[in-house]
Amino acid sequence: MTLGEMKKKTLRLIEEINEDSEYLTDDPDISAKINDVINQIQFELSRLKKIPAKMEYEVDDYKILEMTDEMYQVFKITGCNTFDIIGKEIIFPDDFEGEVNIYYYKYPDRITANTKDNYTFELTDDVLEIMPYGVAGDLLKSDASNAYGNIYSQRYETMKQQLDSRYNMGFIEIGEGI
């Protein structure tokens, strides 16, 4: 799904869409903050349904790898049995040289006011389907004339609780014997 599609889906949900407008809405407040709100919600959801990534790294004379800002959480390193993670650094033993594969969860690319509508989300479809409710709730939370912001926020919270954070179920094989 693209940013433009997410905006349309959210604006349809809150009945603020105008597809003839360059900004997809006639409401200047919503237009001004929709990208920031979408970014905030995508970061929240990316911590619940994490985005897996892999990095290959050649360990040579320099034994410390500084994790990048996109790296949320390292969950596996292959190619080296011993390493330490301290803060934002991965430290390899002095006597180790070679290639390692670092598996980690990452933050999505940040959406700003200048992000184009063809930006593609890295989140899974199940997360993208609940995202418009979180965006709608935040967009309308300061609208005192109605309670729609609260309604969308409550629906979003309920849907978040039902979100399955796993990517697969795994499997168990039972062999012979007891």
Side-chain angles (χ1 to χ4, degrees):
M1 181 178 291
T2 65
L3 176 60
E5 292 167 333
M6 179 60 66
K7 286 179 184 179
K8 287 178 182 178
K9 195 169 195 157
T10 302
L11 294 169
R12 277 189 205 104
L13 182 66
I14 62 175
E15 299 177 359
E16 287 288 343
I17 193 155
N18 177 356
E19 298 212 32
D20 294 330
S21 169
E22 161 186 12
Y23 305 106
L24 298 174
T25 183
D26 295 326
D27 188 317
D29 293 332
I30 289 175
S31 175
K33 62 185 177 181
I34 193 165
N35 278 19
D36 291 333
V37 172
I38 289 173
N39 184 65
Q40 172 192 338
I41 298 299
Q42 86 159 339
F43 267 71
E44 177 182 7
L45 291 170
S46 74
R47 290 187 302 273
L48 296 174
K49 183 82 176 237
K50 299 173 181 169
I51 304 168
K54 175 186 171 188
M55 169 189 190
E56 294 177 0
Y57 180 70
E58 184 69 34
V59 179
D60 48 24
D61 292 337
Y62 193 67
K63 306 295 182 188
I64 299 173
L65 170 64
E66 183 78 23
M67 289 191 269
T68 64
D69 289 338
E70 85 164 5
M71 296 172 101
Y72 170 56
Q73 188 178 59
V74 173
F75 65 88
K76 183 178 182 180
I77 297 178
T78 61
C80 180
N81 294 331
T82 309
F83 55 87
D84 290 311
I85 298 177
I86 301 172
K88 297 279 287 175
E89 295 179 335
I90 302 172
I91 304 167
F92 297 96
D94 289 337
D95 61 346
F96 176 78
E97 286 192 11
E99 185 173 284
V100 295
N101 291 312
I102 301 169
Y103 298 88
Y104 62 97
Y105 297 118
K106 64 178 254 163
Y107 287 115
D109 292 335
R110 190 170 297 278
I111 295 172
T112 67
N114 298 324
T115 303
K116 303 289 183 210
D117 281 351
N118 64 353
Y119 168 96
T120 302
F121 290 97
E122 300 173 84
L123 300 168
T124 56
D125 288 343
D126 57 342
V127 172
L128 292 173
E129 288 303 315
I130 69 171
M131 193 172 178
Y133 291 92
V135 175
D138 274 9
L139 285 174
L140 299 177
K141 70 182 171 190
S142 61
D143 189 352
S145 64
N146 61 48
Y148 290 127
N150 287 335
I151 292 168
Y152 292 123
S153 292
Q154 288 171 2
R155 176 77 172 130
Y156 172 66
E157 291 300 323
T158 300
M159 294 172 86
K160 263 192 343 186
Q161 291 173 5
Q162 297 170 351
L163 189 63
D164 187 351
S165 62
R166 298 174 294 186
Y167 279 89
N168 59 43
M169 294 289 291
F171 65 92
I172 297 174
E173 183 176 319
I174 300 174
E176 294 180 35
I178 298 176

